[in-house]
Amino acid sequence: AAATALGLLPLGKTQSPESLLDIAARKVAEKWPFQRVEERFERIPEPVQRRIVYWSFPRSEKEICMYSSFNTGAEDPATAPGVA
């Protein structure tokens, strides 16, 4: 109610706190690749695996474009100028 009174939330909309599972999975995904988590821990419950995988993927369009680029920085010799 106080947040609504301050104009922080639209009327009729409430925010739910983030679950402990999501917070923990997000922190794990920020620090370690999923493959390393799988190698380190013998048994990871499936719901935990799903949330870590979910948080492992980039969120913003800019990050998605950056990580989906296949440019490795090395030029393809077939497309380099002067190559016949």
Side-chain angles (χ1 to χ4, degrees):
T4 303
L6 295 172
L8 300 176
L9 294 174
L11 289 176
K13 297 214 176 187
T14 59
Q15 275 187 313
S16 299
E18 200 171 7
S19 73
L20 183 57
L21 172 59
D22 271 328
I23 294 168
R26 185 169 31 89
K27 291 300 181 184
V28 168
E30 287 172 0
K31 300 228 179 245
W32 299 290
F34 185 71
Q35 180 181 357
R36 191 165 177 199
V37 174
E38 282 185 311
E39 292 169 353
R40 171 89 164 93
F41 300 99
E42 205 171 293
R43 290 160 56 175
I44 305 169
E46 191 173 331
V48 175
Q49 289 180 30
R50 280 192 305 238
R51 296 315 294 167
I52 294 171
V53 168
Y54 172 81
W55 287 109
S56 294
F57 286 93
R59 299 278 161 251
S60 73
E61 186 176 343
K62 182 181 176 183
E63 288 177 327
I64 291 169
C65 289
M66 182 175 72
Y67 289 112
S68 65
S69 173
F70 292 107
N71 185 2
T72 60
E75 250 186 10
D76 183 0
T79 60
V83 175

